[in-house]
Amino acid sequence: MASTADIKNGVVIKIDGQLWTVIDFQHVKPGKGGAFVRTKMKNVVTGKTVDKTYNAGTKIEIENVDRRDFTYLYKDGDSFVFMDSTDYDQINVAASVVGDAENFMLENQPVTIALNNDNPLYIDLPASVVLEITYTEPGLQGDRSTGGTKAATVETGYQIQVPLFLETGTKVKVDTRTGDYLGRVND
């Protein structure tokens, strides 16, 4: 068991069976009364953010979360298969853990997986990925001047909004956090 003196940014704390990452903390020593620690924490699995205050010296349970580099190999039924980049071991990760990252993953793409006691918690993708448009309605002459958008399906099967002038076969950069179109990529 650790105490509130061990709280730092990035530390993972176990509270009521759930894992929380400390985003921000502040040790406060008021002129009157005991010291305390004010924290802002984010749930590792759900992403929910909460503020929590601890009295100084309170015992807390710090968990070890290991972030390792993996390569996405393929989808196998309801799970995804990844290979560890250091020892080439393969692990299966449930679709519920992968979540929306599925929309932006291509085979042989590097990803970072956070593990706690060898259990995958979540997947970190690069901030943006390059994907090819596999289908979109053809653009019309003159569409380049207006600021409109249209739906386009990328090679992972995910649909994004792109400018009207883009055509099937164009490579685009997509934000993995929001799914937004960021720009066209020239080979």
Side-chain angles (χ1 to χ4, degrees), residues 118-144:
D118 290 330
N119 294 326
L121 299 173
Y122 60 89
I123 292 178
D124 270 343
L125 292 175
S128 64
V129 292
V130 174
L131 299 171
E132 185 175 327
I133 296 175
T134 55
Y135 177 77
T136 188
E137 294 293 328
L140 300 173
Q141 187 65 28
D143 280 344
R144 288 157 179 74

Side-chain angles (χ1 to χ4, degrees), residues 3-9 11 13 22 25 27 37 39 54 60:
S3 73
T4 54
D6 299 315
I7 292 178
K8 293 176 181 42
N9 289 345
V11 166
I13 300 173
V22 176
F25 75 99
H27 288 279
V37 179
T39 63
Y54 292 99
I60 56 173

Side-chain angles (χ1 to χ4, degrees), residues 10-142:
V11 166
V12 177
I13 300 173
K14 188 173 194 176
I15 304 170
D16 298 329
Q18 295 186 338
L19 299 178
W20 297 82
T21 302
V22 176
I23 299 170
D24 192 31
F25 75 99
Q26 181 180 17
H27 288 279
V28 180
K29 175 80 171 96
K32 189 175 187 180
F36 58 91
V37 179
R38 214 180 267 137
T39 63
K40 185 174 192 173
M41 297 187 287
K42 179 178 173 185
N43 188 304
V44 169
V45 178
T46 64
K48 178 182 174 184
T49 304
V50 296
D51 293 324
K52 191 160 175 69
T53 303
Y54 292 99
N55 289 329
T58 302
K59 299 293 181 200
I60 56 173
E61 192 174 343
I62 293 181
E63 286 287 322
N64 182 23
V65 174
D66 186 21
R67 295 171 50 86
R68 296 200 323 238
D69 293 328
F70 284 82
T71 302
Y72 169 59
L73 297 178
Y74 56 91
K75 184 172 182 178
D76 183 24
D78 288 340
S79 64
F80 294 81
V81 180
F82 295 87
M83 180 180 65
D84 192 324
S85 299
T86 54
D87 60 12
Y88 305 111
D89 282 347
Q90 292 183 9
I91 64 167
N92 286 12
V93 178
S96 60
V97 174
V98 173
D100 291 339
E102 172 184 5
N103 300 325
F104 309 105
M105 290 190 318
L106 292 173
E107 291 181 358
N108 299 318
Q109 178 180 344
V111 298
T112 301
I113 300 179
L115 301 163
N116 174 254
N117 299 327
D118 290 330
N119 294 326
L121 299 173
Y122 60 89
I123 292 178
D124 270 343
L125 292 175
S128 64
V129 292
V130 174
L131 299 171
E132 185 175 327
I133 296 175
T134 55
Y135 177 77
T136 188
E137 294 293 328
L140 300 173
Q141 187 65 28

